Every structure is written in C-alpha cells, then in structure tokens.
C-alpha cells in the first residue's frame, strides 16, 4: 500500500504511525530515496557511484517488533543492507539453477512451498552497524525481533548487464553506420518470408535452399559491415549517458550552488576535475560534435531533472580532456591548450561555474 506518492501526502501522518505502532498488521514503513533528505547518505551514494560507475539507489525500512516486512523474493539489483538500529533476522536462499541466477527483473513473492526447492545458504541476525551483501537474484526474507528495526538498503546494477549494454548501444550505432553504408539501407530480398524462418529451415526444395543461401550470404555481409565499423568506445559512451542521467549521489566537492561560487581565476590558478566521473566527453547523437555530459549541480530532490549536456567545439573538447586526463592532479589555467589566454580563462570559469572543475590553489 502506497501511503506517500511523489512527495504528496495521501494519508494523515497519525494514520501512518498508527499502522506501525499498534502492530495490528505489522506494517513496515518504507522511505523511498532517503538520500534526498540526508546529505551524508547522498554523499555516500555519490562515492559508491564514483567507484562502481553505475547508478546507486537507497531505501529505508522501519519494521515494528515481531513483524515481517516483505514476503520472500529476490531483487533485480545488487543490495547492501545496512542495519542502522535494532536487530533483524535474515534468511537467504540459493537459486535453483544457473538459469535463475542474476535475473534482470525482480521476482514475485515466494510461498513457503516455493522455498522448498531452494537451499538455505545463510541464517543470520543483523545488529546495529552490521552489513549484509545480497547479489542480484538472491532470494531472501527478513523478520524483526522483539524491538523495532531500521535498516537502509543501498542498491546498484539495475539494468546494468551485458544484455542492457548491447541492447542500448547497438541500435543507435547501427543507425549511425547505416547513414554511410548503402548496403545496410537496401531492402530485404523480395519474398524472403516465404523461405526464411524455423518452419522453412528443414526444407528440401532446391529453389528454397538456393534462396535461403543467398539470404544468409547477404546477412553475413550486413554483419561484416556492422562489425567492421562498430566502435566499442562509442558504445560505452552511449551507455554512459544513463549513468549520468540516473545517478543520485552528490560529489564531495560538488558545490551546492555552482553559479554562486565566486573565484578570481588567473592564468596561475590551479584547477582539476571535481571527481573522476563528475563529467564525461562523448559525441553527440550523430557521432560528430563533442558533448560534455554531467549530473553535477542538479537539485538533489529534482527526480526528473534532465541530463546536463553542453555542446563544445573539437578544440574545446581537447582542452577539457587535457584537464580531465590530469585527474587527480591539477593543472594551471595557463597550460590549457587553447589559442589565447582569455580563451583559457573563459573555459576555466565556465567549468567552475558548472561545478565540474574546482580550484585547488590560486596564486597571484
């Protein structure tokens, strides 16, 4: 039952606490995205995202004594369970076979009968300060002991598999390649549905076998054109946009209001990227002009904030890459490879205002 939806209260708070306090139904209170209300937690998510280079999320769960929050299930994310207060008893079960391991989608609830086909691999009670790691797809259930329990889950790797990487990057790249390769834009052979398909794969008709052979040859040619022009780094750059669009954490050096930060920048000022993954240089959708993408500076509770994107010239991109490549070291503004001193100062000011670059040391 959803008691709060998109920040709008849909039930009086007294009613919510009564469901928790009287224990009538043993209701667990779940707070979605607690990092939006806790700066230390948001900073923790940011540090984890910097290390994992995949988006992190968080939830907080408050369970009354002697209650169970959820039925047994598995999640579509890797989860770190951090016991903040009280105690909670956890049971963890293995997958029944390799085909069920590392699922891309969460499971429905398991019944006691369903669990009989799974081996219990962990039976443990978490106390305040303990942490439990559950890989994606691990079946688990938890029961509160004789006191209330509060734990926070930190999760990652949602839709962050090779399957997702291939699905999200291949189609845009294929579309880009087809613009410059006539063969990929040519129509499929006429009547191909009459001789291609599982039902036609065992045909003994000579004409159908001849047509199938021709189709297979053209398919292999199309695949060669694709693989010969496919760039893995471009695919990673395409996939990385989701990381910057979805990451929820803050960076330790991220200013709360970048536009209000005032710096007197000179050619002797030393600057560096605020964090390794504060921003990234990629190509635009057409694969031509450089694009600077970042999540820095978005309001923490602006859940639908768009990905920050700044177009730049190839020369500017080279200069920005010079700064980024030096991380964690700083560079002097005077050393930025741009034509004039004013160009160097303007770029440094712009990156500082965006919160992507910070001043390390300033000298007159």
């Amino acid at each position: 039952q959803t008691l709060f939806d998109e920040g709008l209260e849909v039930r009086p708070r007294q009613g919510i606490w009564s469901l928790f306090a009287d224990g009538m139904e043993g209701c667990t209170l779940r707070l979605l995205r607690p990092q939006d209300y806790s700066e230390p937690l948001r900073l923790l998510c940011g540090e984890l995202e910097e290390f994992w280079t995949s988006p992190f999320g968080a939830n907080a769960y408050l369970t009354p004594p002697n209650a169970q929050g959820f039925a047994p299930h598995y999640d579509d994310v890797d989860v770190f369970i951090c016991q903040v207060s009280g105690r909670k008893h956890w049971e963890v079960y293995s997958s029944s076979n390799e085909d069920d391991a590392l699922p891309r989608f969460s499971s429905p609830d398991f019944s006691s009968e369903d669990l009989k086909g799974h081996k219990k691999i962990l039976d443990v009670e978490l106390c305040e300060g303990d942490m439990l790691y559950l890989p994606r797809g691990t079946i688990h259930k938890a029961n509160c002991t004789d006191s209330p329990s509060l734990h926070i889950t930190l999760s990652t790797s949602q839709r962050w598999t090779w399957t997702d990487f291939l699905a999200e990057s291949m189609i845009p790249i294929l579309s880009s390649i087809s613009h410059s390769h006539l063969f990929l834009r040519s129509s499929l052979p006429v009547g191909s549905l009459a001789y291609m398909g599982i039902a036609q794969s065992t045909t003994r008709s000579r004409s159908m076998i001849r047509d199938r052979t021709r189709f297979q040859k053209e398919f292999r040619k199309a695949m060669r054109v694709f693989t010969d022009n496919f760039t893995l780094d471009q695919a990673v750059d395409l996939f990385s946009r989701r990381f910057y669009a979805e990451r929820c954490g803050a960076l330790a050096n991220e200013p709360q209001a970048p536009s209000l930060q005032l710096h007197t920048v000179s050619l002797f000022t030393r600057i560096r990227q605020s964090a390794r993954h504060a921003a990234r240089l990629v190509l635009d959708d057409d694969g031509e002009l450089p694009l600077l993408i970042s999540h820095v500076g978005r309001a923490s509770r602006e859940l639908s904030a768009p990905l920050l994107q700044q177009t730049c010239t190839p020369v500017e991109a080279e200069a920005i890459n010079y700064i980024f490549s030096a991380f964690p070291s700083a560079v002097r503004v005077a050393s930025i490879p741009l034509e004039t001193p004013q160009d160097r100062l303007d770029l440094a000011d712009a990156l500082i205002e965006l919160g992507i670059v910070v001043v390390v040391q300033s000298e007159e």
Side-chain angles (χ1 to χ4, degrees), residues 264-281:
T264 302
V265 177
S266 72
L267 293 175
F268 298 100
T269 302
R270 295 174 58 82
I271 60 175
R272 67 166 172 81
Q273 192 176 10
S274 57
R276 169 75 70 184
H277 303 291
R280 185 181 183 93
L281 281 167

Side-chain angles (χ1 to χ4, degrees), residues 276-353:
R276 169 75 70 184
H277 303 291
R280 185 181 183 93
L281 281 167
V282 300
L283 293 178
D284 63 13
D285 292 337
D286 295 325
E288 296 178 357
L289 293 177
L291 197 64
L292 181 65
I293 59 174
S294 173
H295 87 297
V296 176
R298 290 189 298 170
S300 63
R301 295 174 65 179
E302 193 175 348
L303 306 185
S304 60
L307 175 68
L308 295 184
Q309 302 184 91
Q310 301 282 332
T311 56
C312 50
T313 66
V315 173
E316 290 170 335
E318 183 180 350
I320 294 171
N321 191 53
Y322 168 77
I323 300 170
F324 287 3
S325 298
F327 185 89
S329 299
V331 300
R332 291 191 185 276
V333 173
S335 69
I336 297 175
L338 288 174
E339 185 173 353
T340 69
Q342 190 59 51
D343 289 340
R344 299 164 195 156
L345 291 169
D346 290 344
L347 179 65
D349 280 332
L351 295 177
I352 290 171
E353 185 175 355

Side-chain angles (χ1 to χ4, degrees), residues 186-296:
S186 61
S187 301
L188 294 177
V190 175
S192 56
L193 295 185
Y195 53 81
M196 293 303 300
I198 295 297
Q200 291 77 24
S201 62
T202 57
T203 182
R204 295 185 179 181
S205 166
R206 290 185 178 182
S207 62
M208 289 183 67
I209 292 174
R210 183 181 63 249
D211 290 337
R212 286 176 60 84
T213 301
R214 179 167 58 91
F215 188 96
Q216 292 163 356
K217 181 180 179 180
E218 293 192 17
F219 171 76
R220 286 192 292 270
K221 179 180 178 180
M223 289 299 297
R224 282 196 303 272
V225 172
F226 175 69
T227 56
D228 289 348
N229 292 275
F230 174 81
T231 304
L232 184 58
D233 287 317
Q234 183 184 0
V236 173
D237 283 343
L238 282 168
F239 195 67
S240 73
R241 295 191 188 190
R242 183 151 69 85
F243 170 66
Y244 288 94
E246 295 180 3
R247 66 181 302 185
C248 69
L251 302 176
N253 292 312
E254 177 182 339
Q256 294 301 306
S259 61
L260 300 180
Q261 278 215 326
L262 299 178
H263 295 282
T264 302
V265 177
S266 72
L267 293 175
F268 298 100
T269 302
R270 295 174 58 82
I271 60 175
R272 67 166 172 81
Q273 192 176 10
S274 57
R276 169 75 70 184
H277 303 291
R280 185 181 183 93
L281 281 167
V282 300
L283 293 178
D284 63 13
D285 292 337
D286 295 325
E288 296 178 357
L289 293 177
L291 197 64
L292 181 65
I293 59 174
S294 173
H295 87 297
V296 176

